[in-house]
Amino acid sequence: MISHLRTMWLVFLHLFQKRATIQYPEEKVPLRPRWRGRIVLTKDPDGGERCVGCYLCAAACPVDCIALQATEDANGRRYPEFFRINFSRCIFCGYCEEACPTYAIQLTPDFEMGEYRRQDLVYEKEDLLIDSQGKYPGYNFYKMAGLSAGVKEKGKGDNEEAPVDIKSLLP
Amino acid sequence: MTVMQHIWIVLGVLFVLLNIAAGLIWVERRLLAVWQDRLGPNRAGPLGLFIVLADTLKLFFKEDWIPPFADKWVFILAPAIVVASVLMSFVIVPFAPGIVVADLNVGLLFFLAMSSLGVYSIVLGGWASNNKYSLLGALRGASQMIAYEVFMGLSLMGVVMLSRSFNLAEIVAAQEKMWFVVLQPVGFVIFFIAGLAETHRLPFDIPEAESELVAGFHAEYSGMKFGMFFIGEYLGITLISAMTVTLFFGGWLGPSFLPPVVWFFGKTFLFIALFILLRASLPRPRYDQLLTYGWKLLLPLVLLNLLVTGAIALSLKH
């Protein structure tokens, strides 16, 4: 009985405590940089697409909301021909970001993406691709990669050894 | 009093009560929010007051569905009984000197009789739904209400002994010198607990226990028929608060800088707030705990209270 009265008194004291409500449309919620919101495709420092169309994000996606088709340009540089994310299925788990070897696909702190029509939640490549390097500035996959795709020649990278001459017998 | 005055009082009481019942939707949500560090409804209209209007509109426009397997007439009648029986109880509540619908000599008995009619609503509602969950909820509700009704009446007998009347206006008048809460603290506490169980409000909302019985006796109800159960519950809260004020807290009595009606409604509102505070703070007891508590603790306690009150009243008389 006493503990019940004490409970009631303690609950009553909440009358004088600060409200925890955030009045959303007027007051914004403080979001952390690692918040898993809207998915974007980023570009490398030279303005090229980072995505190489490796399908790892689509494979990692638990709800299969990512669809893409890889293709190559004249230099042998791979890029997605189309890249489509169905946000009405996406669960914002961030597995695609973890799977991406080139830091192309990233989740941003933007969550205000409501639409009146379901079809408007299907984002095409031009909706996803942003003119920014996102969370990993300065990273260019084709400068690290050991192949020539018009960015640098084979073996000319900073941390790359010269290619082995496979025609020679000498070690 | 002329006939017209009577009619005006009846209409006025009805108007005020139904508005209070509707307004409690807002009051309860705001107060619960306050005690849970939230803001509660604050978008629809000033301070969120239009939430009442929105809720009512929503209830009216929902599909009012009667299950094909239900006993149709009883199903329709059940929610009306709860509202009617509670409204009937208000007939004897004296809001201020002269403002009472029926100044009955057996007012208190009439109140007890009407409040016990409320159990029909629950039992018939649960039975007519023809659904096992509803029936179980109705059974639980019935046993709870019958158990707590027994000593609800007994807890008031101390008041009757002290005031020597069943007439509520006379009971209020008898508190001119001292409120009965001072003379009958045990009676007040037990009456309030019994009232809580009678209106099956939290923490005693056993018939509705949503975690085990879907929604208990009103699981099949929709639209305004469900709303009637809801209004009945809010009217019940108001009734028990009003009766507590009348019987133990001096009714309309108070310093004369405010009119008696204001005193009455002010005190009543405090008890309504207490009802909501109880909902915000206490957990629901188990079904068997509830009945054990009622029969084994509160009933002997109330009989003891009756005995002591009677003994003291007798010894003071001699």
Side-chain angles (χ1 to χ4, degrees):
Chain A
M1 193 71 195
I2 298 296
S3 83
H4 285 165
L5 291 177
R6 183 166 173 268
T7 309
M8 284 167 66
W9 173 244
L10 290 179
V11 171
F12 178 77
L13 285 183
H14 276 263
L15 194 66
F16 308 107
Q17 283 181 12
K18 204 170 162 286
R19 311 280 133 224
T21 311
I22 294 174
Q23 305 237 46
Y24 163 59
E26 295 94 44
E27 269 177 75
K28 295 297 179 197
V29 191
L31 292 177
R32 305 288 168 243
R34 286 173 67 174
W35 174 275
R36 296 200 305 262
R38 186 166 67 96
I39 298 174
V40 294
L41 288 174
T42 55
K43 288 181 175 175
D44 62 28
D46 305 328
E49 281 179 50
R50 269 181 178 158
C51 179
V52 296
C54 65
Y55 299 102
L56 280 176
C57 51
C61 183
V63 291
D64 284 348
C65 68
I66 303 180
L68 71 155
Q69 172 65 57
T71 186
E72 275 180 21
D73 67 4
N75 292 319
R77 179 177 172 142
R78 282 167 64 100
Y79 68 94
E81 191 179 349
F82 70 83
F83 198 106
R84 188 176 296 141
I85 296 182
N86 184 353
F87 278 111
S88 66
R89 310 202 83 208
C90 179
I91 56 171
F92 301 94
C93 61
Y95 285 3
C96 50
E97 184 178 14
E98 281 181 44
C100 185
T102 65
Y103 296 143
I105 194 163
Q106 291 181 11
L107 279 80
T108 60
D110 175 21
F111 63 92
E112 295 166 320
M113 41 195 306
E115 297 284 355
Y116 285 102
R117 294 189 310 127
R118 191 160 275 253
Q119 197 55 38
D120 292 345
L121 283 166
V122 177
Y123 280 41
E124 295 294 340
K125 189 169 144 186
E126 54 268 31
D127 307 318
L128 293 166
L129 199 62
I130 59 166
D131 210 9
S132 157
Q133 303 172 49
K135 287 178 258 190
Y136 304 97
Y139 178 77
N140 188 335
F141 170 72
Y142 280 105
K143 283 201 171 146
M144 310 284 166
L147 85 165
S148 165
V151 177
K152 61 146 185 60
E153 287 192 22
K154 205 168 165 141
K156 291 284 159 64
D158 294 338
N159 50 357
E160 199 178 356
E161 291 172 15
V164 176
D165 183 1
I166 54 170
K167 303 279 170 36
S168 158
L169 284 173
L170 292 172
Chain B
M1 238 184 324
T2 64
V3 179
M4 270 323 278
Q5 268 174 317
H6 261 301
I7 293 174
W8 278 119
I9 287 176
V10 170
L11 290 180
V13 167
L14 202 62
F15 178 78
V16 169
L17 286 179
L18 290 178
N19 275 310
I20 285 178
L24 279 183
I25 298 173
W26 177 81
V27 171
E28 172 153 47
R29 291 180 63 179
R30 267 315 265 242
L31 282 179
L32 278 180
V34 158
W35 286 317
Q36 292 166 355
D37 292 349
R38 297 183 286 115
L39 283 173
N42 63 344
R43 292 299 160 126
L47 291 169
L49 268 169
F50 291 172
I51 202 87
V52 177
L53 207 64
D55 268 351
T56 318
L57 273 178
K58 188 189 82 179
L59 277 175
F60 271 116
F61 282 98
K62 277 203 164 183
E63 188 187 357
D64 200 0
W65 192 65
I66 299 172
F69 46 81
D71 190 333
K72 197 173 169 220
W73 289 110
V74 183
F75 190 84
I76 294 171
L77 205 61
I81 292 176
V82 63
V83 176
S85 71
V86 177
L87 278 178
M88 287 289 273
S89 307
F90 273 108
V91 161
I92 44 90
V93 175
F95 296 95
I99 304 184
V100 57
V101 177
D103 197 14
L104 295 181
N105 277 333
V106 288
L108 208 53
L109 288 180
F110 184 82
F111 157 72
L112 290 171
M114 279 302 149
S115 71
S116 53
L117 273 184
V119 74
Y120 276 101
S121 163
I122 287 184
V123 176
L124 291 180
W127 179 78
S129 297
N130 202 358
N131 166 329
K132 299 289 181 293
Y133 285 127
S134 302
L135 188 60
L136 280 173
L139 283 176
R140 287 162 59 140
S143 54
Q144 168 187 341
M145 288 178 83
I146 289 168
Y148 279 73
E149 225 158 60
V150 170
F151 53 84
M152 181 190 225
L154 285 174
S155 67
L156 297 181
M157 289 310 120
V159 171
V160 174
M161 274 183 208
L162 292 175
S163 63
R164 294 161 186 283
S165 174
F166 275 105
N167 185 316
L168 286 170
E170 282 175 28
I171 290 178
V172 174
Q175 298 176 65
E176 194 80 63
K177 289 204 186 75
M178 190 180 279
W179 289 356
F180 282 151
V181 67
V182 186
L183 303 170
Q184 283 283 310
V186 182
F188 157 66
V189 170
I190 292 176
F191 173 74
F192 193 72
I193 294 175
L196 208 63
E198 273 293 290
T199 51
H200 44 91
R201 267 295 284 190
L202 288 102
F204 294 145
D205 63 337
I206 290 293
E208 300 183 34
E210 70 279 354
S211 47
E212 57 256 51
L213 294 178
V214 194
F217 64 94
H218 59 56
E220 299 287 354
Y221 280 88
S222 55
M224 209 53 211
K225 285 208 258 319
F226 168 77
M228 293 277 261
F229 278 125
F230 218 70
I231 290 170
E233 184 178 317
Y234 280 138
L235 280 175
I237 298 173
T238 319
L239 174 67
I240 297 297
S241 306
M243 286 306 286
T244 317
V245 168
T246 314
L247 295 167
F248 294 100
F249 284 83
W252 68 72
L253 300 173
S256 61
F257 58 87
L258 284 175
V261 184
V262 175
W263 277 113
F264 184 83
F265 278 107
K267 290 181 200 170
T268 307
F269 179 75
L270 281 184
F271 278 96
I272 292 173
L274 186 61
F275 264 94
I276 297 168
L277 177 63
L278 276 163
R279 175 178 179 176
S281 47
L282 293 188
R284 181 188 292 142
R286 222 169 47 219
Y287 175 55
D288 59 314
Q289 286 172 338
L290 180 92
L291 290 186
T292 315
Y293 185 57
W295 286 115
K296 292 191 181 163
L297 179 69
L298 292 181
L299 184 61
L301 210 61
V302 78
L303 289 172
L304 202 69
N305 179 47
L306 209 58
L307 205 68
V308 172
T309 311
I312 293 177
L314 259 183
S315 65
L316 284 182
K317 201 175 158 196
H318 289 299

PDB file of all heavy atoms in Angstrom, chain B residues 19 22-23 25-26 29 44-45 48-61:
ATOM      1  N   ASN B  19     -20.886  16.509 -21.900  1.00  0.00           N
ATOM      2  CA  ASN B  19     -19.713  17.280 -22.296  1.00  0.00           C
ATOM      3  C   ASN B  19     -18.501  16.919 -21.453  1.00  0.00           C
ATOM      4  O   ASN B  19     -17.387  16.868 -21.960  1.00  0.00           O
ATOM      5  CB  ASN B  19     -20.007  18.772 -22.201  1.00  0.00           C
ATOM      6  CG  ASN B  19     -20.663  19.271 -23.448  1.00  0.00           C
ATOM      7  OD1 ASN B  19     -20.183  19.019 -24.547  1.00  0.00           O
ATOM      8  ND2 ASN B  19     -21.781  19.937 -23.299  1.00  0.00           N
ATOM      9  N   ALA B  22     -17.145  13.701 -22.788  1.00  0.00           N
ATOM     10  CA  ALA B  22     -16.375  13.891 -24.018  1.00  0.00           C
ATOM     11  C   ALA B  22     -15.066  14.609 -23.724  1.00  0.00           C
ATOM     12  O   ALA B  22     -14.006  14.237 -24.224  1.00  0.00           O
ATOM     13  CB  ALA B  22     -17.204  14.677 -25.030  1.00  0.00           C
ATOM     14  N   GLY B  23     -15.159  15.637 -22.864  1.00  0.00           N
ATOM     15  CA  GLY B  23     -13.959  16.417 -22.554  1.00  0.00           C
ATOM     16  C   GLY B  23     -12.897  15.593 -21.859  1.00  0.00           C
ATOM     17  O   GLY B  23     -11.704  15.874 -21.975  1.00  0.00           O
ATOM     18  N   ILE B  25     -11.870  12.791 -22.656  1.00  0.00           N
ATOM     19  CA  ILE B  25     -10.953  12.214 -23.654  1.00  0.00           C
ATOM     20  C   ILE B  25      -9.694  13.056 -23.705  1.00  0.00           C
ATOM     21  O   ILE B  25      -8.574  12.552 -23.622  1.00  0.00           O
ATOM     22  CB  ILE B  25     -11.608  12.198 -25.051  1.00  0.00           C
ATOM     23  CG1 ILE B  25     -12.850  11.321 -25.065  1.00  0.00           C
ATOM     24  CG2 ILE B  25     -10.616  11.727 -26.109  1.00  0.00           C
ATOM     25  CD1 ILE B  25     -13.608  11.415 -26.374  1.00  0.00           C
ATOM     26  N   TRP B  26      -9.923  14.376 -23.806  1.00  0.00           N
ATOM     27  CA  TRP B  26      -8.783  15.293 -23.901  1.00  0.00           C
ATOM     28  C   TRP B  26      -8.043  15.371 -22.576  1.00  0.00           C
ATOM     29  O   TRP B  26      -6.812  15.283 -22.531  1.00  0.00           O
ATOM     30  CB  TRP B  26      -9.292  16.675 -24.313  1.00  0.00           C
ATOM     31  CG  TRP B  26      -8.241  17.702 -24.378  1.00  0.00           C
ATOM     32  CD1 TRP B  26      -7.373  17.915 -25.406  1.00  0.00           C
ATOM     33  CD2 TRP B  26      -7.918  18.678 -23.381  1.00  0.00           C
ATOM     34  NE1 TRP B  26      -6.535  18.950 -25.103  1.00  0.00           N
ATOM     35  CE2 TRP B  26      -6.853  19.440 -23.872  1.00  0.00           C
ATOM     36  CE3 TRP B  26      -8.430  18.971 -22.125  1.00  0.00           C
ATOM     37  CZ2 TRP B  26      -6.287  20.484 -23.149  1.00  0.00           C
ATOM     38  CZ3 TRP B  26      -7.866  20.004 -21.401  1.00  0.00           C
ATOM     39  CH2 TRP B  26      -6.801  20.749 -21.910  1.00  0.00           C
ATOM     40  N   ARG B  29      -5.899  12.290 -21.886  1.00  0.00           N
ATOM     41  CA  ARG B  29      -4.699  12.179 -22.719  1.00  0.00           C
ATOM     42  C   ARG B  29      -3.666  13.227 -22.348  1.00  0.00           C
ATOM     43  O   ARG B  29      -2.462  12.959 -22.329  1.00  0.00           O
ATOM     44  CB  ARG B  29      -5.096  12.294 -24.195  1.00  0.00           C
ATOM     45  CG  ARG B  29      -5.868  11.082 -24.641  1.00  0.00           C
ATOM     46  CD  ARG B  29      -6.270  11.161 -26.065  1.00  0.00           C
ATOM     47  NE  ARG B  29      -5.122  11.209 -26.938  1.00  0.00           N
ATOM     48  CZ  ARG B  29      -5.213  11.272 -28.256  1.00  0.00           C
ATOM     49  NH1 ARG B  29      -6.380  11.263 -28.832  1.00  0.00           N
ATOM     50  NH2 ARG B  29      -4.132  11.320 -28.989  1.00  0.00           N
ATOM     51  N   ALA B  44      -4.432  19.692 -32.858  1.00  0.00           N
ATOM     52  CA  ALA B  44      -5.779  19.982 -33.353  1.00  0.00           C
ATOM     53  C   ALA B  44      -6.398  21.087 -32.504  1.00  0.00           C
ATOM     54  O   ALA B  44      -6.798  20.859 -31.376  1.00  0.00           O
ATOM     55  CB  ALA B  44      -6.645  18.718 -33.286  1.00  0.00           C
ATOM     56  N   GLY B  45      -6.427  22.297 -33.045  1.00  0.00           N
ATOM     57  CA  GLY B  45      -7.066  23.393 -32.343  1.00  0.00           C
ATOM     58  C   GLY B  45      -6.239  23.894 -31.184  1.00  0.00           C
ATOM     59  O   GLY B  45      -5.153  23.388 -30.926  1.00  0.00           O
ATOM     60  N   GLY B  48      -4.881  21.473 -28.489  1.00  0.00           N
ATOM     61  CA  GLY B  48      -5.310  20.131 -28.901  1.00  0.00           C
ATOM     62  C   GLY B  48      -6.734  19.801 -28.506  1.00  0.00           C
ATOM     63  O   GLY B  48      -7.112  18.638 -28.474  1.00  0.00           O
ATOM     64  N   LEU B  49      -7.543  20.834 -28.212  1.00  0.00           N
ATOM     65  CA  LEU B  49      -8.899  20.571 -27.716  1.00  0.00           C
ATOM     66  C   LEU B  49      -9.797  19.926 -28.760  1.00  0.00           C
ATOM     67  O   LEU B  49     -10.730  19.228 -28.416  1.00  0.00           O
ATOM     68  CB  LEU B  49      -9.528  21.882 -27.249  1.00  0.00           C
ATOM     69  CG  LEU B  49      -9.312  22.192 -25.767  1.00  0.00           C
ATOM     70  CD1 LEU B  49      -9.719  23.612 -25.452  1.00  0.00           C
ATOM     71  CD2 LEU B  49     -10.109  21.233 -24.911  1.00  0.00           C
ATOM     72  N   PHE B  50      -9.502  20.163 -30.036  1.00  0.00           N
ATOM     73  CA  PHE B  50     -10.367  19.602 -31.078  1.00  0.00           C
ATOM     74  C   PHE B  50     -10.184  18.100 -31.224  1.00  0.00           C
ATOM     75  O   PHE B  50     -10.859  17.477 -32.024  1.00  0.00           O
ATOM     76  CB  PHE B  50     -10.106  20.288 -32.423  1.00  0.00           C
ATOM     77  CG  PHE B  50     -10.571  21.723 -32.462  1.00  0.00           C
ATOM     78  CD1 PHE B  50     -10.279  22.533 -33.536  1.00  0.00           C
ATOM     79  CD2 PHE B  50     -11.299  22.243 -31.413  1.00  0.00           C
ATOM     80  CE1 PHE B  50     -10.701  23.842 -33.558  1.00  0.00           C
ATOM     81  CE2 PHE B  50     -11.723  23.557 -31.431  1.00  0.00           C
ATOM     82  CZ  PHE B  50     -11.426  24.362 -32.512  1.00  0.00           C
ATOM     83  N   ILE B  51      -9.270  17.532 -30.443  1.00  0.00           N
ATOM     84  CA  ILE B  51      -9.074  16.090 -30.492  1.00  0.00           C
ATOM     85  C   ILE B  51     -10.372  15.386 -30.103  1.00  0.00           C
ATOM     86  O   ILE B  51     -10.687  14.307 -30.616  1.00  0.00           O
ATOM     87  CB  ILE B  51      -7.915  15.685 -29.539  1.00  0.00           C
ATOM     88  CG1 ILE B  51      -7.327  14.358 -29.948  1.00  0.00           C
ATOM     89  CG2 ILE B  51      -8.351  15.597 -28.099  1.00  0.00           C
ATOM     90  CD1 ILE B  51      -6.271  14.475 -30.962  1.00  0.00           C
ATOM     91  N   VAL B  52     -11.159  16.036 -29.246  1.00  0.00           N
ATOM     92  CA  VAL B  52     -12.451  15.475 -28.842  1.00  0.00           C
ATOM     93  C   VAL B  52     -13.362  15.374 -30.064  1.00  0.00           C
ATOM     94  O   VAL B  52     -13.975  14.344 -30.334  1.00  0.00           O
ATOM     95  CB  VAL B  52     -13.094  16.367 -27.760  1.00  0.00           C
ATOM     96  CG1 VAL B  52     -14.451  15.827 -27.389  1.00  0.00           C
ATOM     97  CG2 VAL B  52     -12.207  16.456 -26.546  1.00  0.00           C
ATOM     98  N   LEU B  53     -13.404  16.487 -30.818  1.00  0.00           N
ATOM     99  CA  LEU B  53     -14.230  16.533 -32.018  1.00  0.00           C
ATOM    100  C   LEU B  53     -13.763  15.482 -33.019  1.00  0.00           C
ATOM    101  O   LEU B  53     -14.568  14.741 -33.601  1.00  0.00           O
ATOM    102  CB  LEU B  53     -14.113  17.927 -32.622  1.00  0.00           C
ATOM    103  CG  LEU B  53     -15.286  18.425 -33.437  1.00  0.00           C
ATOM    104  CD1 LEU B  53     -16.501  18.562 -32.548  1.00  0.00           C
ATOM    105  CD2 LEU B  53     -14.931  19.746 -34.074  1.00  0.00           C
ATOM    106  N   ALA B  54     -12.449  15.409 -33.182  1.00  0.00           N
ATOM    107  CA  ALA B  54     -11.890  14.466 -34.153  1.00  0.00           C
ATOM    108  C   ALA B  54     -12.205  13.030 -33.758  1.00  0.00           C
ATOM    109  O   ALA B  54     -12.600  12.209 -34.594  1.00  0.00           O
ATOM    110  CB  ALA B  54     -10.385  14.673 -34.255  1.00  0.00           C
ATOM    111  N   ASP B  55     -12.065  12.749 -32.457  1.00  0.00           N
ATOM    112  CA  ASP B  55     -12.350  11.393 -31.977  1.00  0.00           C
ATOM    113  C   ASP B  55     -13.818  11.037 -32.189  1.00  0.00           C
ATOM    114  O   ASP B  55     -14.149   9.924 -32.598  1.00  0.00           O
ATOM    115  CB  ASP B  55     -12.011  11.284 -30.485  1.00  0.00           C
ATOM    116  CG  ASP B  55     -10.594  10.797 -30.277  1.00  0.00           C
ATOM    117  OD1 ASP B  55      -9.975  10.405 -31.284  1.00  0.00           O
ATOM    118  OD2 ASP B  55     -10.107  10.810 -29.146  1.00  0.00           O
ATOM    119  N   THR B  56     -14.685  12.002 -31.881  1.00  0.00           N
ATOM    120  CA  THR B  56     -16.115  11.739 -32.035  1.00  0.00           C
ATOM    121  C   THR B  56     -16.460  11.499 -33.498  1.00  0.00           C
ATOM    122  O   THR B  56     -17.173  10.547 -33.834  1.00  0.00           O
ATOM    123  CB  THR B  56     -16.915  12.933 -31.491  1.00  0.00           C
ATOM    124  OG1 THR B  56     -16.311  13.373 -30.281  1.00  0.00           O
ATOM    125  CG2 THR B  56     -18.342  12.549 -31.238  1.00  0.00           C
ATOM    126  N   LEU B  57     -15.948  12.381 -34.355  1.00  0.00           N
ATOM    127  CA  LEU B  57     -16.202  12.211 -35.792  1.00  0.00           C
ATOM    128  C   LEU B  57     -15.716  10.853 -36.259  1.00  0.00           C
ATOM    129  O   LEU B  57     -16.394  10.147 -37.004  1.00  0.00           O
ATOM    130  CB  LEU B  57     -15.481  13.306 -36.575  1.00  0.00           C
ATOM    131  CG  LEU B  57     -16.250  14.601 -36.755  1.00  0.00           C
ATOM    132  CD1 LEU B  57     -15.393  15.600 -37.491  1.00  0.00           C
ATOM    133  CD2 LEU B  57     -17.520  14.325 -37.537  1.00  0.00           C
ATOM    134  N   LYS B  58     -14.524  10.492 -35.804  1.00  0.00           N
ATOM    135  CA  LYS B  58     -13.953   9.209 -36.206  1.00  0.00           C
ATOM    136  C   LYS B  58     -14.865   8.067 -35.787  1.00  0.00           C
ATOM    137  O   LYS B  58     -15.142   7.160 -36.580  1.00  0.00           O
ATOM    138  CB  LYS B  58     -12.570   9.051 -35.566  1.00  0.00           C
ATOM    139  CG  LYS B  58     -11.809   7.850 -36.058  1.00  0.00           C
ATOM    140  CD  LYS B  58     -10.565   7.631 -35.248  1.00  0.00           C
ATOM    141  CE  LYS B  58     -10.895   6.897 -33.984  1.00  0.00           C
ATOM    142  NZ  LYS B  58      -9.733   6.633 -33.148  1.00  0.00           N
ATOM    143  N   LEU B  59     -15.364   8.136 -34.543  1.00  0.00           N
ATOM    144  CA  LEU B  59     -16.234   7.063 -34.066  1.00  0.00           C
ATOM    145  C   LEU B  59     -17.509   6.982 -34.901  1.00  0.00           C
ATOM    146  O   LEU B  59     -18.007   5.902 -35.186  1.00  0.00           O
ATOM    147  CB  LEU B  59     -16.595   7.306 -32.607  1.00  0.00           C
ATOM    148  CG  LEU B  59     -15.549   6.839 -31.606  1.00  0.00           C
ATOM    149  CD1 LEU B  59     -15.942   7.236 -30.205  1.00  0.00           C
ATOM    150  CD2 LEU B  59     -15.380   5.339 -31.678  1.00  0.00           C
ATOM    151  N   PHE B  60     -18.032   8.171 -35.303  1.00  0.00           N
ATOM    152  CA  PHE B  60     -19.274   8.150 -36.073  1.00  0.00           C
ATOM    153  C   PHE B  60     -19.053   7.601 -37.477  1.00  0.00           C
ATOM    154  O   PHE B  60     -19.940   6.980 -38.045  1.00  0.00           O
ATOM    155  CB  PHE B  60     -19.863   9.557 -36.152  1.00  0.00           C
ATOM    156  CG  PHE B  60     -20.776   9.854 -35.003  1.00  0.00           C
ATOM    157  CD1 PHE B  60     -20.472  10.845 -34.089  1.00  0.00           C
ATOM    158  CD2 PHE B  60     -21.932   9.120 -34.820  1.00  0.00           C
ATOM    159  CE1 PHE B  60     -21.301  11.107 -33.020  1.00  0.00           C
ATOM    160  CE2 PHE B  60     -22.781   9.369 -33.764  1.00  0.00           C
ATOM    161  CZ  PHE B  60     -22.458  10.368 -32.859  1.00  0.00           C
ATOM    162  N   PHE B  61     -17.896   7.854 -38.054  1.00  0.00           N
ATOM    163  CA  PHE B  61     -17.686   7.440 -39.435  1.00  0.00           C
ATOM    164  C   PHE B  61     -17.082   6.055 -39.571  1.00  0.00           C
ATOM    165  O   PHE B  61     -16.917   5.558 -40.670  1.00  0.00           O
ATOM    166  CB  PHE B  61     -16.819   8.467 -40.168  1.00  0.00           C
ATOM    167  CG  PHE B  61     -17.609   9.670 -40.565  1.00  0.00           C
ATOM    168  CD1 PHE B  61     -17.596  10.816 -39.801  1.00  0.00           C
ATOM    169  CD2 PHE B  61     -18.398   9.631 -41.699  1.00  0.00           C
ATOM    170  CE1 PHE B  61     -18.341  11.912 -40.154  1.00  0.00           C
ATOM    171  CE2 PHE B  61     -19.151  10.729 -42.059  1.00  0.00           C
ATOM    172  CZ  PHE B  61     -19.126  11.877 -41.289  1.00  0.00           C
TER     173      PHE B  61
END
